[in-house]
Amino acid sequence: MGRGQPLLSHAGPSRRRVAGTALGGWPGPAASGNDVERGLEAALRRTRVTFADNMDEPVHRWFRFPAGFSARLVRDVMEALGVGRGMLVLDPFTGSGTTNVVCKSLGIESVGVERHPLLAWVARVKTYWEFDVGYLRGAIERILERARAEAPLRARELLGEVRSRPELLRKVFGEEVLAQLYAIKEVVEEVEDEHVRDFSMLALVSALRDATDVDVGWPYVLPRRKRRKGAVPPVEAFARRLLLQYSDLREVLSRLDGGIPRATIYEEDSRELTRFMEPDSVDFAFTSPPYLNNYDYADRTRLELYFLGWASSWSEISEKVRKKLVVSCTHQVRELGLPEGLQPSEDIEEGVREELARKAQELRAIKRRRGGRKDYDIMVVAYFNDMARHVAEMYRVLKDGAYYVMILGDSAPYGVHIPTDEYLARIARHVGFREARVFVLRERGRRWRHLVESGRRHGVQLRESLVLLRK
């Protein structure tokens, strides 16, 4: 492998001049300066990163999951890197399916991998477009007719039953509204066609946060806090969502030039890709892996998991979801029983191993001074051990010369900076990727400035980056 200096480039919308800065002096390839990278830098200057932009995009707006990323970013990066029809695209942490929906709209076959069962289901529903739209329209009209006619009576019959539902649901909706939502759910569950049933159920699940007047914004559900917007009656909220989905589907189908490309969603583990995917089969990969920021991806979907009946308690969510995900929060550390003093894997590049061990020791010392409440020392090491396994699997399934793009942020638990983008790039080079480069997209953490000034939060400047790897 070559031993030039990779560059950390500031390429986000707020940085009009690309500034090359040595990334910690770690061994790696020199910036090639070729047309592909220049095109990528130009695309990143004009593109935002966050999921919020997707709320105006057909299909992407069917389910709000703010831990996602911008569909436009996916399109722009794919165009810059020459990704097109006839290729196979993989998103190994597909979340609610942003990459797969983009690929489907462009006529490109794709695969998505997601271990979180709810998100895998959402992605699967969002990427099933093989409907006869006339048939679907008739089915939707019948469902809405039944929901409007039957939901009030069914809700009265369900009032006693909803009192046994998880407390969170009763606090968020109140018993009468919750009974109406379950009445609509019964109507949807009686639909015989599996794809129409899932299409309609997604509309109902997405309507949950419209049908309450308490704060159910992301990332927290706060039943005691009222929000400014009032609640939409359940049947009306469901109807709005269902008709929006139908309208969006018609729009994207009208734009397709040719047949509908396949999108395959696996509810599987991205640390074990070769268990269900062929080696050397993927032409391009784009993802946003879990951020190392103590964000509990399982807890953030508790409302939906409880309503669907896929879980009924915190411990059940842990068994069915939390324990199966890449470690990125301290809840997982405790529930997996990970030991204090956990060591970085031998599969991680030696320099990164040494830095992780040193930072884990620093975090452990701070934890003890603060009373031992947050196991950031264990979480950080476990995260990179999991991600090293994932990067090695990605190397195996990608074709030679294929690009792998990751969108991610760094972190600073207890004020100890963890340059996640740099470490993953170095791990990738150690695995065998011949190129690794980091583009800084934007700075993060400005909205917490008042907490920094009051001494309640660290003052480390954080960033969101694009890591570009090439096999």
Side-chain angles (χ1 to χ4, degrees):
M1 294 187 294
R3 297 182 64 84
Q5 287 291 335
L7 295 182
L8 187 152
S9 297
H10 293 279
S14 64
R15 298 278 188 164
R16 296 304 175 189
R17 179 176 63 84
V18 176
T21 306
L23 215 171
W26 57 275
S32 63
N34 59 28
D35 290 342
V36 169
E37 289 198 356
R38 283 196 292 270
L40 180 59
E41 289 175 347
L44 296 178
R45 285 194 185 96
R46 65 175 180 264
T47 306
R48 293 179 62 185
V49 182
T50 63
F51 183 84
D53 295 342
N54 291 357
M55 290 298 94
D56 295 324
E57 295 232 12
V59 182
H60 294 285
R61 58 187 172 186
W62 290 4
F63 183 79
R64 183 177 177 84
F65 185 61
F69 47 85
S70 165
R72 180 180 172 184
L73 177 65
V74 183
R75 287 193 295 268
D76 288 351
V77 169
M78 287 174 59
E79 180 181 2
L81 297 179
V83 180
R85 295 185 181 188
M87 292 183 170
L88 177 65
V89 173
L90 167 65
D91 187 335
F93 297 98
T94 203
S96 59
T98 298
T99 299
N100 304 102
V101 172
V102 168
C103 287
K104 194 129 185 165
S105 67
L106 296 174
I108 301 170
E109 186 177 345
S110 70
V111 170
V113 179
E114 178 53 57
R115 198 67 187 90
H116 192 307
L118 175 71
L119 297 180
W121 173 74
V122 169
R124 200 172 291 124
V125 176
K126 285 169 63 178
T127 54
Y128 184 84
W129 299 359
E130 288 78 0
F131 285 105
D132 176 303
V133 292
Y135 167 78
L136 179 61
R137 176 71 193 193
I140 287 172
E141 289 174 350
R142 289 189 293 274
I143 291 167
L144 291 179
E145 182 179 357
R146 288 191 60 202
R148 291 181 177 115
E150 299 176 24
L153 176 60
R154 290 189 186 223
R156 285 195 292 273
E157 296 172 350
L158 288 168
L159 266 175
E161 182 181 333
V162 300
R163 296 186 180 112
S164 64
R165 299 293 180 178
E167 183 181 17
L168 177 71
L169 294 177
R170 290 181 279 116
K171 284 184 175 180
V172 166
F173 298 107
E175 291 179 357
E176 290 187 6
V177 170
L178 187 57
Q180 292 177 54
L181 290 167
Y182 274 110
I184 300 167
K185 184 171 181 280
E186 282 190 350
V187 170
V188 172
E189 288 173 335
E190 291 167 5
V191 175
E192 292 185 4
D193 187 300
E194 175 188 0
H195 295 297
V196 175
R197 185 169 64 245
D198 282 346
F199 186 87
S200 304
M201 191 64 75
L202 178 58
L204 178 58
V205 167
S206 297
L208 291 178
R209 294 173 189 253
D210 302 330
T212 178
D213 61 356
V214 307
D215 188 350
V216 289
W218 300 84
Y220 302 108
V221 174
L222 302 170
R224 294 182 180 179
R225 182 185 297 175
K226 298 291 183 180
R227 62 178 184 176
R228 292 180 183 176
K229 297 174 69 173
V232 180
V235 173
E236 182 181 344
F238 171 58
R240 287 181 186 178
R241 290 284 183 175
L242 189 54
L243 293 173
L244 173 70
Q245 288 182 194
Y246 173 75
S247 175
D248 283 357
L249 184 64
R250 287 195 61 181
E251 181 176 344
V252 294
L253 288 175
S254 70
R255 295 177 184 174
L256 275 181
D257 179 17
I260 302 175
R262 182 170 56 183
T264 305
I265 308 297
Y266 292 103
E267 187 184 324
E268 291 284 359
D269 193 332
S270 67
R271 295 164 290 188
E272 301 176 350
L273 292 171
T274 49
R275 187 170 55 78
F276 54 93
M277 293 189 68
E278 292 294 325
D280 305 307
S281 61
V282 174
D283 296 285
F284 174 73
F286 190 109
T287 199
S288 181
Y291 284 26
L292 185 57
N293 60 2
N294 205 30
Y295 187 97
D296 188 344
Y297 291 89
D299 181 64
R300 299 308 179 252
T301 54
R302 194 158 41 122
L303 191 72
E304 291 81 7
L305 289 167
Y306 284 174
F307 178 75
L308 288 169
W310 294 5
S312 59
S313 65
W314 175 275
S315 60
E316 195 172 358
I317 288 177
S318 288
E319 292 301 320
K320 293 184 175 181
V321 184
R322 191 176 287 111
K323 289 183 178 181
K324 298 180 179 181
L325 305 180
V326 166
V327 174
S328 62
C329 74
T330 55
H331 291 313
Q332 292 169 284
V333 169
R334 291 193 295 275
E335 292 175 11
L336 289 168
L338 299 178
E340 189 167 86
L342 180 70
Q343 294 300 304
S345 165
E346 292 294 322
D347 296 330
I348 295 174
E349 185 254 347
E350 183 179 3
V352 175
R353 281 206 316 271
E354 292 173 354
E355 291 178 38
L356 284 173
R358 185 170 60 252
K359 293 193 177 189
Q361 186 175 10
E362 183 179 356
L363 288 166
R364 190 155 50 250
I366 298 172
K367 176 177 70 174
R368 288 170 179 166
R369 289 199 303 270
R370 296 193 178 191
R373 291 182 297 173
K374 296 287 187 180
D375 292 317
Y376 291 136
D377 53 321
I378 309 172
M379 177 189 78
V380 167
V381 173
Y383 175 84
F384 285 101
N385 286 349
D386 281 351
M387 288 301 296
R389 287 178 57 196
H390 162 69
V391 171
E393 283 288 271
M394 285 299 301
Y395 185 81
R396 296 180 184 110
V397 301
L398 287 167
K399 293 180 179 179
D400 189 46
Y403 286 104
Y404 179 24
V405 172
M406 287 187 281
I407 307 297
L408 50 87
D410 56 357
S411 63
Y414 284 149
V416 177
H417 183 232
I418 311 294
T420 313
D421 47 10
E422 176 190 337
Y423 285 175
L424 289 179
R426 291 167 67 177
I427 289 169
R429 287 284 288 152
H430 183 68
V431 163
F433 282 90
R434 62 181 176 179
E435 294 180 19
R437 191 172 177 197
V438 176
F439 297 83
V440 176
L441 301 174
R442 68 184 182 107
E443 295 178 346
R444 299 188 300 130
R446 292 176 181 268
R447 64 174 173 164
W448 307 113
R449 188 173 298 167
H450 65 289
L451 296 179
V452 174
E453 292 171 352
S454 66
R456 289 182 291 164
R457 180 180 167 87
H458 66 75
V460 178
Q461 180 62 62
L462 300 178
R463 61 183 181 246
E464 198 157 24
S465 303
L466 180 151
V467 177
L468 177 68
L469 308 176
R470 193 178 191 192
K471 181 174 174 180

Short mmCIF file of all heavy atoms in Angstrom, two decimals, residues 354-364 377 380 416-419 423:
data_model
loop_
_atom_site.label_atom_id
_atom_site.label_comp_id
_atom_site.label_asym_id
_atom_site.label_seq_id
_atom_site.Cartn_x
_atom_site.Cartn_y
_atom_site.Cartn_z
N GLU A 354 -4.12 1.68 19.81
CA GLU A 354 -3.42 2.35 20.92
C GLU A 354 -4.16 3.62 21.34
O GLU A 354 -4.31 3.90 22.53
CB GLU A 354 -1.99 2.68 20.50
CG GLU A 354 -1.12 1.44 20.32
CD GLU A 354 0.25 1.78 19.75
OE1 GLU A 354 0.46 2.97 19.39
OE2 GLU A 354 1.09 0.87 19.66
N GLU A 355 -4.64 4.38 20.35
CA GLU A 355 -5.37 5.61 20.68
C GLU A 355 -6.69 5.30 21.38
O GLU A 355 -7.09 5.99 22.33
CB GLU A 355 -5.61 6.42 19.41
CG GLU A 355 -4.33 7.02 18.83
CD GLU A 355 -4.59 7.77 17.54
OE1 GLU A 355 -5.64 8.45 17.45
OE2 GLU A 355 -3.74 7.69 16.62
N LEU A 356 -7.39 4.27 20.91
CA LEU A 356 -8.65 3.89 21.55
C LEU A 356 -8.43 3.43 22.99
O LEU A 356 -9.20 3.79 23.89
CB LEU A 356 -9.33 2.78 20.74
CG LEU A 356 -10.03 3.19 19.45
CD1 LEU A 356 -10.50 1.97 18.67
CD2 LEU A 356 -11.21 4.12 19.73
N ALA A 357 -7.40 2.64 23.20
CA ALA A 357 -7.12 2.17 24.57
C ALA A 357 -6.81 3.34 25.49
O ALA A 357 -7.27 3.38 26.64
CB ALA A 357 -5.96 1.18 24.53
N ARG A 358 -6.06 4.31 24.97
CA ARG A 358 -5.70 5.49 25.77
C ARG A 358 -6.94 6.34 26.08
O ARG A 358 -7.14 6.79 27.22
CB ARG A 358 -4.65 6.32 25.04
CG ARG A 358 -4.12 7.49 25.84
CD ARG A 358 -2.92 8.14 25.17
NE ARG A 358 -3.23 8.65 23.84
CZ ARG A 358 -2.80 8.09 22.69
NH1 ARG A 358 -2.09 6.98 22.71
NH2 ARG A 358 -3.11 8.63 21.53
N LYS A 359 -7.79 6.53 25.09
CA LYS A 359 -8.99 7.35 25.31
C LYS A 359 -10.00 6.63 26.19
O LYS A 359 -10.70 7.27 27.00
CB LYS A 359 -9.59 7.75 23.96
CG LYS A 359 -8.67 8.69 23.19
CD LYS A 359 -9.32 9.36 22.02
CE LYS A 359 -8.33 10.35 21.38
NZ LYS A 359 -8.93 11.22 20.37
N ALA A 360 -10.08 5.31 26.07
CA ALA A 360 -10.96 4.55 26.96
C ALA A 360 -10.51 4.68 28.41
O ALA A 360 -11.33 4.83 29.32
CB ALA A 360 -10.99 3.08 26.53
N GLN A 361 -9.20 4.66 28.61
CA GLN A 361 -8.68 4.82 29.96
C GLN A 361 -9.00 6.21 30.50
O GLN A 361 -9.38 6.37 31.67
CB GLN A 361 -7.16 4.60 29.94
CG GLN A 361 -6.52 4.59 31.32
CD GLN A 361 -5.05 4.25 31.26
OE1 GLN A 361 -4.45 4.19 30.18
NE2 GLN A 361 -4.44 4.02 32.41
N GLU A 362 -8.89 7.22 29.66
CA GLU A 362 -9.23 8.59 30.07
C GLU A 362 -10.71 8.70 30.42
O GLU A 362 -11.08 9.32 31.43
CB GLU A 362 -8.86 9.56 28.95
CG GLU A 362 -9.10 11.03 29.29
CD GLU A 362 -8.71 11.96 28.15
OE1 GLU A 362 -8.17 11.48 27.12
OE2 GLU A 362 -8.95 13.18 28.31
N LEU A 363 -11.57 8.10 29.59
CA LEU A 363 -13.01 8.12 29.85
C LEU A 363 -13.35 7.38 31.13
O LEU A 363 -14.24 7.79 31.89
CB LEU A 363 -13.76 7.50 28.66
CG LEU A 363 -13.80 8.35 27.39
CD1 LEU A 363 -14.26 7.51 26.20
CD2 LEU A 363 -14.74 9.55 27.57
N ARG A 364 -12.65 6.30 31.39
CA ARG A 364 -12.89 5.52 32.60
C ARG A 364 -12.55 6.33 33.85
O ARG A 364 -13.28 6.31 34.85
CB ARG A 364 -12.08 4.22 32.54
CG ARG A 364 -12.44 3.22 33.61
CD ARG A 364 -12.11 1.79 33.18
NE ARG A 364 -10.76 1.64 32.67
CZ ARG A 364 -10.46 1.39 31.38
NH1 ARG A 364 -11.44 1.26 30.48
NH2 ARG A 364 -9.21 1.25 31.00
N ASP A 377 -16.40 4.62 28.17
CA ASP A 377 -15.14 3.94 27.91
C ASP A 377 -15.34 2.61 27.21
O ASP A 377 -14.61 2.26 26.27
CB ASP A 377 -14.37 3.74 29.23
CG ASP A 377 -15.21 3.05 30.30
OD1 ASP A 377 -16.41 3.36 30.41
OD2 ASP A 377 -14.66 2.21 31.03
N VAL A 380 -17.18 3.16 23.46
CA VAL A 380 -16.31 3.60 22.37
C VAL A 380 -15.54 2.41 21.79
O VAL A 380 -15.48 2.23 20.57
CB VAL A 380 -15.35 4.70 22.85
CG1 VAL A 380 -14.23 4.93 21.84
CG2 VAL A 380 -16.11 6.00 23.10
N VAL A 416 -14.03 14.16 25.59
CA VAL A 416 -12.89 13.47 24.98
C VAL A 416 -13.20 13.25 23.51
O VAL A 416 -14.11 12.49 23.17
CB VAL A 416 -12.62 12.12 25.68
CG1 VAL A 416 -11.47 11.38 25.00
CG2 VAL A 416 -12.32 12.33 27.16
N HIS A 417 -12.45 13.90 22.64
CA HIS A 417 -12.77 13.85 21.21
C HIS A 417 -12.45 12.49 20.61
O HIS A 417 -11.34 11.97 20.76
CB HIS A 417 -12.01 14.94 20.45
CG HIS A 417 -12.37 14.99 18.99
ND1 HIS A 417 -11.45 14.95 17.99
CD2 HIS A 417 -13.59 15.06 18.38
CE1 HIS A 417 -12.06 15.00 16.82
NE2 HIS A 417 -13.36 15.08 17.04
N ILE A 418 -13.44 11.92 19.91
CA ILE A 418 -13.27 10.66 19.18
C ILE A 418 -13.48 10.96 17.70
O ILE A 418 -14.62 11.13 17.26
CB ILE A 418 -14.29 9.58 19.64
CG1 ILE A 418 -14.31 9.46 21.17
CG2 ILE A 418 -13.98 8.26 18.97
CD1 ILE A 418 -13.04 8.93 21.78
N PRO A 419 -12.39 11.04 16.90
CA PRO A 419 -12.53 11.34 15.47
C PRO A 419 -12.99 10.10 14.70
O PRO A 419 -12.21 9.41 14.04
CB PRO A 419 -11.12 11.76 15.08
CG PRO A 419 -10.22 11.01 16.01
CD PRO A 419 -10.98 10.90 17.31
N TYR A 423 -10.76 7.48 12.29
CA TYR A 423 -10.49 6.11 12.75
C TYR A 423 -11.04 5.08 11.77
O TYR A 423 -10.38 4.08 11.46
CB TYR A 423 -11.09 5.89 14.13
CG TYR A 423 -10.34 6.53 15.27
CD1 TYR A 423 -10.83 6.50 16.57
CD2 TYR A 423 -9.12 7.19 15.06
CE1 TYR A 423 -10.15 7.08 17.63
CE2 TYR A 423 -8.43 7.79 16.11
CZ TYR A 423 -8.95 7.74 17.38
OH TYR A 423 -8.28 8.33 18.43
#
